[in-house]
């Protein structure tokens, strides 16, 4: 498997509880390298644009409110098979279904406030990275 990059967000429930370092340790232990990172506070409109694929879902408004409720940490993670590996380290969307040792099993508060986002495919990873970072900010 080739070296890949994926996009990650440490969500407001986690930044509020000061968990950035603990979550980054999980990535690093799994062989993922943080090659870009910034802490930002999204507006509700920016959160809505990022999650527009979910616009028709019943939880969309709640999700956008939540993502704009406190700072996030936007990141690019690099490593072997990074997209799948990150999804593995994150755990299932609903923390009740997440495997032991995953970020969501350890830290998520609910299916909505679930501590991390990670891209699900190469196309979305490329799009999401470009939405948050310029090429100059990616330092491998
Ligand atoms: P994932 O983040 O695991 O890829 P999805 O793409 O299905 O999951 O959903 C995007 C985000 O929307 C989730 O991470 C979560 O924050 C929120 N979400 C998903 N399902 C629900 C739900 N049933 N109720 C509230 N929020 C939800």
């Amino acid at each position: 498997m080739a070296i890949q990059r994926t996009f990650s967000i440490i969500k407001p429930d986690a930044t509020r509880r000061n968990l950035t370092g603990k979550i980054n340790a999980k990535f690093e232990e799994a062989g993922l390298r943080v090659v870009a990172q910034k802490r930002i506070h999204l507006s509700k409109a920016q959160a809505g644009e990022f999650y527009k694929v979910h616009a028709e879902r019943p939880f969309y408004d709640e999700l956008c409110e939540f993502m704009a409720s406190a700072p996030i940490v936007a990141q690019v993670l690099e490593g072997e098979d990074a997209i799948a590996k990150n999804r593995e380290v994150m755990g299932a969307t609903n923390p009740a279904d997440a495997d032991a040792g995953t970020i969501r099993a350890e830290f998520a508060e609910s299916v909505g406030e679930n501590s991390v986002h990670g891209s699900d495919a190469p196309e979305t990873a490329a799009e999401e990275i470009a939405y948050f970072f310029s090429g100059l900010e990616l330092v491998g």
Side-chain angles (χ1 to χ4, degrees):
M1 234 307 164
I3 297 290
Q4 277 182 332
R5 283 178 174 172
T6 190
F7 178 70
S8 163
I9 292 178
I10 301 178
K11 292 184 178 180
D13 65 285
T15 62
R16 226 181 249 129
R17 287 175 291 146
N18 210 19
L19 292 171
T20 299
K22 286 196 171 131
I23 290 175
N24 277 346
K26 291 275 193 192
F27 295 140
E28 291 178 345
E29 281 158 17
L32 293 165
R33 182 178 294 274
V34 180
V35 298
Q37 172 165 273
K38 61 185 165 195
R39 184 175 166 99
I40 48 184
H41 196 146
L42 292 176
S43 67
K44 194 174 168 189
Q46 288 167 330
E49 175 64 23
F50 178 71
Y51 272 122
K52 64 182 179 215
V53 18
H54 294 306
E56 302 308 321
R57 310 276 286 273
F59 55 80
Y60 179 65
D61 193 61
E62 180 194 331
L63 177 61
C64 297
E65 284 278 355
F66 164 59
M67 291 300 289
S69 67
I72 62 160
V73 178
Q75 310 175 300
V76 179
L77 307 179
E78 184 180 86
E80 189 95 352
D81 206 8
I83 295 169
K85 187 170 287 173
N86 182 38
R87 299 288 306 185
E88 214 178 286
V89 177
M90 289 165 62
T93 309
N94 186 341
D97 303 328
D99 289 340
T102 61
I103 292 169
R104 283 167 166 170
E106 284 192 23
F107 303 121
E109 300 199 296
S110 66
V111 63
E113 307 208 358
N114 59 4
S115 303
V116 279
H117 164 84
S119 309
D120 59 2
E123 304 71 40
T124 43
E127 255 175 54
E128 292 173 355
I129 290 170
Y131 186 60
F132 282 91
F133 292 98
S134 77
L136 282 176
E137 293 175 303
L138 307 175
V139 184

